[in-house]
Amino acid sequence: MSILVTGGTGYIGSHTCVELIKENYDVIIVDNLYNSSKEALNRINTITGVMPKFYEIDLLDKDKLNIIFEENNIEAVIHFAGYKAVGESCSIPLTYYQNNITTTLNLCEVMKSYNCKKIVFSSSATVYGDPASVPIDESFPLSTTNPYGTTKMFNERILEDLYISDNEFSVILLRYFNPIGAHNSGLIGETPNGIPNNLVPYIAQVATGKRDFLRVWGNDYNTVDGTGVRDYIHVVDLALGHIKAVKYAMNHLGVEKINLGTGNGYSVLQVKDAYAKASGKDIAFEIMDRRPGDIATCYADTKKAKELLGWQAEFDIETMCNDSWNFEVKNPDGVK
Ligand code: NAD
Ligand code: UFG
């Protein structure tokens, strides 16, 4: 059975391809390599013994996208491709809307014309904005604070409307919390472009000596130690959640919105300490003002994923930090 993975050479996509191959799916990747490298294909091959079929195509090019469906019998699509930097989305919103929305529209049009009606979409906990309480369940109201988040919210709506217009579709909207870590082989992981915005990639660069110290964005939140609390989830757990979601989509029609998180929250300082332990390095830090747009606490209610998909996260924060560090040490320049 062929699964098309858009953005499959990227961070979460490459880990998901590994798990799909392990489950004997035929994996076809489409990516324009904007934020990833062909080397990811070799790494997937080294881990699994299978080289996925690859199309270097921009999803904005609908004609080329058609070719993939013409040449393959695609049963379902996992749609990771998109831009993901929150800060950048505020400076170049039109580029984000164009890339993140038009790619989804093109993909859905082509899927429909080839009668491929199962899609798993990468959404984000960012669609919950500043939640009124925690844990956050899937019925919480949506609101966003930046163009990136708005593209996720719009994409969810587009896919819901698609189902309303055609009840043969199966749409799974996966709302990820904070993915970190790497495959335990150390062969695939996250390769941030430029200065990392996210906490763990930044801490990793402090540990390797690429950055002097961590800037902790505020310690006056109403949390365990005043620093922001998030639900960090191992990227392999996240990948396994996609396998469960694809299997569910094979047997059910409709739209499901599902949180993928651990249900546990860790503060910035707790993550820093866990990473220091994993790496054996001192992580220097300074407390700064709050980062605009940040919220105090965010963690998932994970009941729905358990009940509907039979999935729950297994890896703890120590394993996440150990695997991230293993990847950093083995790939000082990332997957290139
Ligand atoms: P990533 O940047 O590593 O992977 C995305 C891939 O999409 C890249 O390989 C990029 O080259 C490709 N791509 C982008 N635009 C494309 C286009 N027009 N045509 C073809 N390929 C294109 O990102 P990731 O961390 O693996 O995230 C995957 C998805 O999950 C994204 O949609 C992201 O918004 C979402 N998400 C990520 C996080 C996170 O913290 N990493 C959290 C929530 C949601
Ligand atoms: N933080 C620091 N210093 C840094 C980076 C982050 O103190 O250098 C703090 C933040 O203030 C926050 C926590 O670490 O309290 C986590 O920040 P991240 O930037 O790693 O993650 P966010 O929760 O802000 O956002 C991330 C992605 C979003 C996604 C969201 C939920 O960037 O795209 O997780 O999935 F929507």
Side-chain angles (χ1 to χ4, degrees):
M1 192 179 294
S2 293
I3 311 286
L4 179 66
V5 182
T6 79
T9 43
Y11 173 47
I12 306 170
S14 57
H15 288 81
T16 302
C17 289
V18 164
E19 300 306 325
L20 284 167
I21 293 169
K22 278 164 73 179
E23 289 281 315
N24 291 320
Y25 290 102
D26 289 325
V27 171
I28 301 165
I29 295 177
V30 53
D31 202 300
N32 64 356
L33 303 179
Y34 171 81
N35 196 33
S36 56
S37 150
K38 254 189 185 166
E39 176 58 19
L41 301 169
N42 297 328
R43 306 290 179 95
I44 293 170
N45 186 18
T46 307
I47 297 170
T48 62
V50 175
M51 180 63 97
K53 193 165 179 182
F54 177 62
Y55 289 87
E56 186 178 339
I57 284 177
D58 193 318
L59 291 181
L60 293 174
D61 187 337
K62 200 171 144 194
D63 292 338
K64 289 199 177 139
L65 192 54
N66 264 297
I67 298 172
I68 306 178
F69 283 78
E70 193 58 50
E71 292 183 353
N72 301 280
N73 187 10
I74 294 165
E75 189 93 7
V77 178
I78 307 181
H79 181 30
F80 290 107
Y83 296 160
K84 64 168 180 177
V86 172
E88 187 182 61
S89 78
C90 300
S91 355
I92 47 167
L94 300 183
T95 309
Y96 268 68
Y97 286 116
Q98 173 73 351
N99 195 56
N100 290 4
I101 305 287
T102 310
T103 52
T104 303
L105 293 174
N106 284 348
L107 181 65
C108 291
E109 281 170 2
V110 175
M111 285 176 68
K112 203 168 154 58
S113 68
Y114 283 86
N115 210 28
C116 172
K117 296 191 174 177
K118 298 175 194 322
I119 181 165
V120 176
F121 174 68
S122 297
S123 189
S124 165
T126 195
V127 298
Y128 296 118
D130 192 355
S133 61
V134 282
I136 303 167
D137 76 41
E138 290 83 354
S139 68
F140 273 39
L142 305 191
S143 72
T144 59
T145 52
N146 56 72
Y148 165 73
T150 310
T151 69
K152 290 296 175 196
M153 198 169 72
F154 286 172
N155 271 323
E156 286 201 2
R157 189 59 192 267
I158 288 165
L159 290 164
E160 283 183 87
D161 285 341
L162 179 62
Y163 170 73
I164 291 167
S165 72
D166 181 346
N167 289 171
E168 288 175 359
F169 263 90
S170 179
V171 173
I172 314 279
L173 307 170
L174 296 179
R175 294 174 176 165
Y176 315 154
F177 281 68
N178 291 52
I180 62 168
H183 192 265
N184 66 8
S185 62
L187 285 166
I188 49 174
E190 186 167 16
T191 307
N193 251 341
I195 303 171
N197 282 307
N198 294 122
L199 180 64
V200 171
Y202 201 100
I203 292 178
Q205 294 199 356
V206 176
T208 55
K210 282 187 197 142
R211 313 258 161 225
D212 292 338
F213 63 91
L214 170 69
R215 289 168 178 77
V216 175
W217 303 124
N219 68 347
D220 56 352
Y221 289 105
N222 184 18
T223 63
V224 58
D225 56 19
T227 66
V229 166
R230 297 290 182 275
D231 185 339
Y232 297 94
I233 173 168
H234 197 298
V235 66
V236 172
D237 270 330
L238 199 64
L240 291 167
H242 288 76
I243 310 300
K244 297 279 192 183
V246 165
K247 289 187 171 162
Y248 184 87
M250 294 298 177
N251 299 310
H252 300 82
L253 303 179
V255 181
E256 294 293 351
K257 302 154 191 171
I258 305 174
N259 288 340
L260 292 184
T262 65
N264 302 313
Y266 287 93
S267 74
V268 174
L269 295 178
Q270 287 169 334
V271 175
K272 172 194 77 67
D273 290 343
Y275 210 95
K277 199 166 161 222
S279 60
K281 305 283 180 187
D282 189 37
I283 310 290
F285 69 97
E286 272 185 32
I287 305 293
M288 317 295 284
D289 288 342
R290 292 181 178 196
R291 184 171 67 177
D294 269 357
I295 57 176
T297 303
C298 173
Y299 58 89
D301 183 320
T302 59
K303 248 189 257 101
K304 187 168 178 186
K306 249 179 252 170
E307 285 171 9
L308 212 67
L309 304 181
W311 172 91
Q312 65 182 39
E314 302 291 344
F315 296 112
D316 57 19
I317 193 78
E318 283 74 27
T319 312
M320 298 181 214
C321 293
N322 284 335
D323 289 342
S324 163
W325 180 241
N326 180 41
F327 175 76
E328 288 298 325
V329 171
K330 290 188 172 149
N331 306 272
D333 300 317
V335 178
K336 280 188 178 140

